[in-house]
Amino acid sequence: MSNTTVNKKTPAAYNYVDSRVGFSAALKRNMRKVFPDHWSFMLGEIALYSFLILLLTGTFLTLWYKPSMTEVIYNGSYIPLKGIPMSEAYASTLEISFDVRGGMLLRQIHHWAALFFIAAMVVHLLRVFFTGAYRKPREFNWLLGIALLTLGLLAGFSGYSLPDDLLSGVGLKIASGIIQALPVVGTWALYFLFGGEFPGTEVISRLYSIHILLLPGAILALVTAHLLLVWTQKHTQYPGPGRTEKNVVGYPLLPVYTAKAGGFFFIVFGVTTLLGALVTINPIWLYGPYTPDQVTAGSQPDWYIGFLEGSLRVMPAIEFNIFNTWTFSPNVLIPALILPGLMFALMGAYPFLESWITGDKREHNLLDRPRNAPTRTALGTMSLSFYILLWIGGGNDIIATTFNLSINAITWFMRVALIAVPPLVFIATRRICLGLQRNDLDKLLHGKETGRILRLPEGGFVEVHEPVSEAELPKLLARETYPVWELPQKVDANGIKTPKYRRQLMKAKLSAWWTKGDLPIPTMKEIQSGQHHAHEALEQAHEFGVEPGKEEIVTSTNH
Amino acid sequence: MTNKFDINNTFDPDNENQAPKVSKEVATKLPTPAKGVDHYLRRTDTDPKAAKRAERQVAAFFGASSLFTLIFVVSFFAIPRETKIAVSLIGVTSAQNIVLGTSFGLAILFIGIGAIHWAKKLMPDVEMVQERKEMKPADEVQQEALDAFRVGATESGVGQRKLIRRSLLGALALFPLPFVVMLRDLGPAPKGELRKTAWQEDLHIVTDITYEKIRPEDIPVGNLISAMPENILEIQEEEGNLNERGKSAILLVRMRPEDIKSQQGPDWDYQGIVAYSKICTHVGCPIALYEQRTHHLLCPCHQSTFDLADSGQPIFGPAARRLPQLAITVDEEGYLVARQGFQEPIGPSFWERGA
Ligand code: HEM
Ligand code: FES
């Protein structure tokens, strides 16, 4: 390779800086650092790049945007709103859209990048979950990721509110209603955030400092920590030829990874910019300025708020009146705060729960294929189906008008579905995973089906199998199972109570549930003989003079 | 040893206290090509012509990028802001936005395409392998680190000198307090404002667009009007915010008197005209969708449905409480007025709201 063309002379500038900073050792270690390559590893990159685009375009937006709720009379170049009273925030967003050259583009890139940022984080999270990449030593990065997703949602919501248009204002009103419903402190919290009653004159400038300083700063810090950990821990890889738990196979940072990842940044940026040019997003000029007595019908929040919207919509009207003095509102608190809180807490706790159940405390650098962890995969699809149902519930009015159905019927359907569908998804997923595992096992023990049936001269039929290829073998061999914890005895032989009996019992039961239906792991001997047989069968076929594809003896079956 | 700064500080091989010149750091091996991985030669690896062609392609992508950047700069100044163009699928939009965005987008995109094409066609595509170390450092290293910490901690005396430790912890725990205290002035103390609206006896009901007084005859049966108290603009002016607008907004609906099943007070309607708060009791959206036939009012936010013929009771959706009703009548000139203020807090629930 071309890594022989090394200039022996130290360039003076390099020497100048290195003598003062001393980075040669770090450079030496990292310039050729290996990064594994897979399309699913680009999801995190998309999130990172979208964030950089947000920083860049957001900084430009701050040059013209005015975070003020002072009332002004619009006099810009968007004719339909001329002469209408509105907040300075809304007026300046109109100015960015219609009077600043390239301003509309910047706004739209910023908004598209925000949508991509959160979408990429979510899909990235799913990839990490379904491949078990959060296992030791990467639990902290899982937690950092969940924190980033939370901050991203807040950043999105706070930014969305800044233009102070009718649509986002209604979203803010809903947020204020949720805050107000908090037990004991609700009214105070509302007054503190809004500087008094809703909408007041403070909230936009407060959201502004949160949106452009606090949240981006926090996100930047956490992203940095996230990437530092990826760097020191080295990226995980899928099982494949030459790949082990103890190595990393891929392309060196310089040149291939730099060119690909750097190039990919420009691709993401380019696509976002083209979308900003060609596809209108958030046309705030059509919604009009915010006023608390108006609403736009059939309006939808940005996609990432949809699940909350859905949970608010499907929640039954439960409210309590305590001693005729206090009002307690589960109809608001459960869907808006408790449910999302629980979802995020469960996500955060998951890696620790799993390793407690399996007892697995080893380092994992090879990723799992989702089928090889059926319970995990099923839990994942189950949770995903719950999330998607909530999300669909957030569009029940759209569904109702599009398909001419009754909103009440849809809402009732969603209420039932939210309880009934996820368990079904769990069961189905686990079945599918185990089926796929069985296929894999068959390949190991009997070779690969070729889809060709051989009629033997004596009259019988056999299907021709061929040995598994070198490239596929490591994938098939990557499955492991976990031993089931023994059920603990309440008291041991000496009549002494087992310490932590209940906890041990739970763990034993959970581990039986976790590994339920797991197929046995074949021994190396079984595999070798299986592959050997497949090999022989293939040779036998050749001996009979059967060339695969010959019509009269070989028929092809479609699987 | 001297404390004096030694300008001729040169390396002395016999001085043990001096930092070694050669880094002790274990050299990590450079990665090597991975074994057992299939590798196929590309056209560009074997055919110098193909390589040359790929080189030209990459350069063409980068060249195209520069071209589009120039197009952006020129059109920024050349295309007037008001020019509109019709684009299929998109409709009539600002020519400037389309041209600026497209040229900028392509300028960026082509850099990416060029770089990736370069990597794929011309850079070595042999997979490399590098060893990993377990994240946990060797036990001795851990011990050394802990020892260093313990020595430092012991020297500080933080373990033995309880007085210092406790007073320090106390000071550190307290010092953020000013920050918390200063947050107090984020907002005023609530004084029951959430219970009050501008409505009171004899206040005229005006439309929320023209602010004209309303006569019962102005509202045909089945119609719905959004309305405000007559002094809403003055209040807005005085308070310098829109808070009252968000609380005093009401809906007037006229139905046949015999259709009214119940009301929140005796004869709170006026000849079949009922007035209800416009603010949803769920989380406070203004309500807008009225169905004449059923007298149902639907909140567009989460579809809570209220029956205006039946005291504004919620009949579906997440809202748990009825919409407060405003008792109305007419003044001597025949204009609609409020008979009194709202008898219960309007809008979403709050803790101290009570029954
Ligand atoms: C951290 C991730 C961020 C997200 C998810 C995000 C999201 C958003 C969204 C959805 C909007 C509404 C855009 C619209 O349609 O008008 C917005 C507006 C805005 N953002 Fe961000 N943003 C982020 C970071 C930033 C940063 C770092 C800055 C500045 C340094 C910034 C400055 C602004 C400004 C000034 C506006 C209001 C102007 C306008 O709406 O046109 N944003 N943001
Ligand atoms: S605000 Fe009316 S239903 Fe939620």
Side-chain angles (χ1 to χ4, degrees):
Chain A
M1 297 301 110
S2 51
N3 50 11
T4 45
T5 53
V6 176
N7 189 355
K8 291 294 175 203
K9 201 162 155 281
T10 313
Y14 181 96
N15 189 41
Y16 182 89
V17 181
D18 199 21
S19 317
R20 288 159 180 79
V21 182
F23 51 59
S24 273
L27 272 191
K28 185 186 85 182
R29 234 181 306 125
N30 289 318
M31 273 292 94
R32 298 284 285 172
K33 189 180 175 68
V34 164
F35 284 85
D37 206 8
H38 190 268
W39 65 264
S40 68
F41 299 162
M42 298 198 302
L43 296 163
E45 278 179 55
I46 299 182
L48 174 67
Y49 300 154
S50 306
F51 179 58
L52 297 182
I53 298 168
L54 284 165
L55 289 178
L56 193 67
T57 51
T59 306
F60 268 88
L61 288 174
T62 61
L63 301 179
W64 296 282
Y65 172 78
K66 298 190 187 70
S68 145
M69 294 171 88
T70 307
E71 193 175 278
V72 293
I73 304 293
Y74 181 66
N75 192 26
S77 57
Y78 183 65
I79 313 280
L81 292 177
K82 251 196 173 97
I84 295 202
M86 57 182 61
S87 69
E88 233 181 328
Y90 186 66
S92 68
T93 312
L94 289 173
E95 187 200 337
I96 294 176
S97 304
F98 296 106
D99 297 287
V100 174
R101 283 179 277 186
M104 176 82 91
L105 181 65
L106 283 168
R107 261 197 68 233
Q108 304 209 129
I109 299 178
H110 194 71
H111 205 123
W112 275 114
L115 299 184
F116 283 153
F117 177 49
I118 299 171
M121 276 197 284
V122 169
V123 186
H124 173 58
L125 179 145
L126 293 176
R127 193 284 287 174
V128 168
F129 181 83
F130 284 112
T131 59
Y134 52 77
R135 290 173 298 169
K136 190 183 165 189
R138 297 183 178 78
E139 300 96 325
F140 291 165
N141 248 359
W142 172 257
L143 294 178
L144 281 171
I146 287 171
L148 279 166
L149 181 59
T150 315
L151 294 177
L153 291 174
L154 294 173
F157 185 80
S158 60
Y160 183 76
S161 303
L162 290 182
D164 202 21
D165 57 293
L166 189 51
L167 191 55
S168 72
V170 170
L172 207 51
K173 171 74 212 190
I174 294 175
S176 83
I178 294 165
I179 294 169
Q180 181 175 331
L182 285 171
V184 188
V185 296
T187 310
W188 281 89
L190 176 81
Y191 276 41
F192 273 22
L193 181 60
F194 290 85
E197 284 182 278
F198 178 89
T201 52
E202 306 279 336
V203 69
I204 291 288
S205 56
R206 288 180 184 174
L207 286 176
Y208 186 61
S209 69
I210 291 174
H211 182 74
I212 72 158
L213 182 72
L214 219 54
L215 290 171
I219 291 177
L220 194 61
L222 296 194
V223 164
T224 310
H226 198 74
L227 294 180
L228 276 175
L229 275 176
V230 172
W231 195 278
T232 51
Q233 295 175 336
K234 300 198 173 82
H235 207 290
T236 52
Q237 55 193 351
Y238 287 94
R243 302 181 190 176
T244 69
E245 291 282 8
K246 293 238 152 36
N247 73 8
V248 49
V249 175
Y251 297 106
L253 177 67
L254 197 72
V256 178
Y257 188 75
T258 307
K260 280 192 179 170
F264 191 52
F265 167 72
F266 285 95
I267 301 256
V268 173
F269 198 175
V271 169
T272 318
T273 307
L274 286 177
L275 275 170
L278 302 175
V279 190
T280 305
I281 182 99
N282 202 17
I284 49 118
W285 53 95
L286 298 181
Y287 309 142
Y290 182 64
T291 161
D293 57 321
Q294 300 294 328
V295 67
T296 51
S299 52
Q300 287 290 316
D302 269 355
W303 77 267
Y304 46 83
I305 303 292
F307 80 105
L308 281 178
E309 180 88 359
S311 73
L312 275 167
R313 287 181 184 197
V314 300
M315 180 72 197
I318 305 169
E319 184 171 281
F320 300 110
N321 209 312
I322 307 172
F323 305 132
N324 266 353
T325 319
W326 298 302
T327 306
F328 178 57
S329 311
N331 59 338
V332 177
L333 298 171
I334 290 180
L337 298 171
I338 297 176
L339 182 85
L342 212 61
M343 283 162 64
F344 277 80
L346 277 177
M347 274 200 287
Y350 184 79
F352 307 97
L353 288 176
E354 185 188 302
S355 98
W356 180 68
I357 294 172
T358 59
D360 188 345
K361 312 277 185 241
R362 298 165 302 167
E363 266 196 13
H364 289 279
N365 297 312
L366 280 179
L367 294 170
D368 273 338
R369 302 171 81 203
R371 68 184 64 174
N372 288 343
T375 307
R376 174 202 301 148
T377 305
L379 285 172
T381 52
M382 178 180 94
S383 317
L384 193 59
S385 69
F386 184 77
Y387 176 85
I388 292 175
L389 283 169
L390 284 180
W391 193 77
I392 295 175
N396 60 359
D397 52 337
I398 309 252
I399 300 173
T401 44
T402 317
F403 299 103
N404 214 355
L405 298 165
S406 121
I407 282 199
N408 299 14
I410 298 174
T411 304
W412 268 109
F413 175 80
M414 296 313 299
R415 286 176 184 168
V416 175
L418 275 168
I419 296 168
V421 171
L424 294 178
V425 171
F426 178 89
I427 295 170
T429 308
R430 198 143 84 162
R431 288 248 171 108
I432 293 172
C433 285
L434 290 172
L436 291 170
Q437 273 190 24
R438 187 166 297 283
N439 282 349
D440 288 352
L441 190 62
D442 284 347
K443 282 188 204 166
L444 283 176
L445 295 182
H446 310 294
K448 221 167 142 173
E449 290 175 6
T450 57
R452 291 191 298 268
I453 307 289
L454 173 64
R455 178 154 26 96
L456 299 173
E458 307 91 75
F461 292 91
V462 290
E463 186 179 358
V464 178
H465 284 71
E466 64 185 19
V468 177
S469 73
E470 293 270 318
E472 201 182 355
L473 206 55
K475 273 209 268 181
L476 300 182
L477 289 174
R479 187 165 64 88
E480 323 181 282
T481 58
Y482 291 105
V484 181
W485 299 104
E486 265 179 56
L487 282 177
Q489 300 289 320
K490 204 160 194 164
V491 285
D492 68 10
N494 303 325
I496 298 172
K497 273 200 184 145
T498 314
K500 299 187 182 154
Y501 168 74
R502 294 195 142 274
R503 205 195 276 195
Q504 284 194 37
L505 185 70
M506 176 127 110
K507 185 163 154 171
K509 284 187 173 162
L510 281 173
S511 97
W513 166 76
W514 179 266
T515 51
K516 196 175 141 208
D518 265 6
L519 301 178
I521 303 287
T523 62
M524 214 51 213
K525 213 169 134 198
E526 287 168 330
I527 295 170
Q528 274 161 359
S529 91
Q531 297 300 314
H532 186 66
H533 275 147
H535 205 73
E536 279 187 340
L538 202 62
E539 303 227 307
Q540 198 190 10
H542 286 299
E543 252 171 55
F544 285 125
V546 180
E547 283 308 321
K550 275 206 176 162
E551 284 287 315
E552 64 290 12
I553 310 182
V554 179
T555 26
S556 124
T557 53
N558 283 325
H559 281 268
Chain B
M1 274 217 23
T2 71
N3 279 339
K4 217 178 69 166
F5 181 64
D6 182 3
I7 199 144
N8 299 315
N9 186 359
T10 48
F11 187 66
D12 173 9
D14 298 327
N15 182 353
E16 281 195 329
N17 295 325
Q18 187 173 288
K21 264 239 157 142
V22 187
S23 161
K24 264 213 198 126
E25 196 178 346
V26 188
T28 40
K29 271 190 268 149
L30 285 180
T32 51
K35 289 194 203 68
V37 182
D38 286 340
H39 177 246
Y40 305 97
L41 289 178
R42 297 163 297 190
R43 277 286 299 282
T44 43
D45 291 326
T46 52
D47 178 1
K49 269 204 196 126
K52 200 73 203 160
R53 203 175 322 124
E55 187 182 337
R56 278 196 300 270
Q57 284 162 352
V58 173
F61 288 134
F62 290 156
S65 167
S66 307
L67 185 67
F68 279 113
T69 304
L70 293 179
I71 292 178
F72 177 98
V73 175
V74 172
S75 20
F76 185 90
F77 295 103
I79 301 179
R81 219 180 39 215
E82 332 49 72
T83 316
K84 298 266 184 263
I85 48 166
V87 186
S88 64
L89 290 179
I90 300 175
V92 180
T93 45
S94 150
Q96 204 181 57
N97 188 52
I98 296 267
V99 176
L100 292 185
T102 317
S103 55
F104 191 30
L106 290 175
I108 301 170
L109 196 62
F110 274 126
I111 296 181
I113 295 176
I116 288 178
H117 197 62
W118 179 12
K120 289 212 155 155
K121 293 282 169 182
L122 294 169
M123 293 181 188
D125 71 338
V126 181
E127 283 200 296
M128 310 288 266
V129 59
Q130 197 167 34
E131 297 306 310
R132 294 176 190 268
K133 284 191 301 249
E134 209 188 338
M135 284 311 290
K136 180 181 169 309
D139 287 343
E140 311 85 75
V141 180
Q142 275 187 343
Q143 276 315 317
E144 280 167 23
L146 281 173
D147 286 347
F149 176 76
R150 286 189 192 112
V151 169
T154 315
E155 284 178 359
S156 78
V158 75
Q160 294 82 48
R161 302 189 199 281
K162 281 203 186 116
L163 198 60
I164 292 189
R165 189 173 71 223
R166 289 186 183 157
S167 55
L168 174 64
L169 284 180
L172 287 178
L174 283 182
F175 108 93
L177 208 57
F179 285 108
V180 180
V181 170
M182 278 187 284
L183 289 179
R184 169 61 193 86
D185 281 350
L186 275 175
K191 291 199 195 66
E193 292 90 345
L194 292 184
R195 305 183 158 277
K196 294 180 218 137
T197 70
W199 290 107
Q200 56 185 26
E201 193 181 345
D202 291 338
L203 212 54
H204 282 102
I205 300 173
V206 298
T207 73
D208 66 350
I209 301 169
T210 58
Y211 303 103
E212 278 162 15
K213 294 182 204 164
I214 306 168
R215 291 176 183 279
E217 311 83 85
D218 298 339
I219 314 176
V221 169
N223 263 35
L224 168 119
I225 290 185
S226 277
M228 286 282 171
E230 60 183 323
N231 55 350
I232 186 68
L233 291 181
E234 288 151 42
I235 297 175
Q236 257 169 247
E237 186 76 14
E238 198 176 300
E239 294 185 346
N241 60 41
L242 300 175
N243 300 1
E244 197 52 53
R245 255 194 122 71
K247 293 200 297 180
S248 290
I250 58 165
L251 292 170
L252 292 173
V253 171
R254 182 171 210 151
M255 47 188 98
R256 284 188 308 246
E258 61 271 25
D259 284 350
I260 300 180
K261 276 182 257 163
S262 75
Q263 303 192 60
Q264 293 177 15
D267 302 324
W268 276 16
D269 70 316
Y270 181 78
Q271 295 177 353
I273 300 177
V274 286
Y276 281 95
S277 163
K278 193 182 178 181
I279 307 304
C280 185
T281 58
H282 179 221
V283 283
C285 286
I287 308 185
L289 308 171
Y290 179 63
E291 202 188 18
Q292 271 186 32
R293 195 173 45 81
T294 55
H295 312 300
H296 288 173
L297 194 61
L298 179 83
C299 178
C301 283
H302 316 101
Q303 286 86 43
S304 287
T305 311
F306 302 89
D307 188 350
L308 295 194
D310 189 10
S311 303
Q313 288 296 342
I315 52 170
F316 191 79
R321 277 182 299 102
R322 63 186 191 182
L323 288 173
Q325 185 178 3
L326 187 71
I328 56 170
T329 182
V330 289
D331 66 2
E332 56 276 21
E333 290 167 50
Y335 289 110
L336 287 172
V337 293
R339 269 161 54 183
Q340 55 185 12
F342 277 111
Q343 297 301 296
E344 56 187 274
I346 62 98
S349 306
F350 50 98
W351 178 248
E352 61 277 20
R353 179 181 185 281

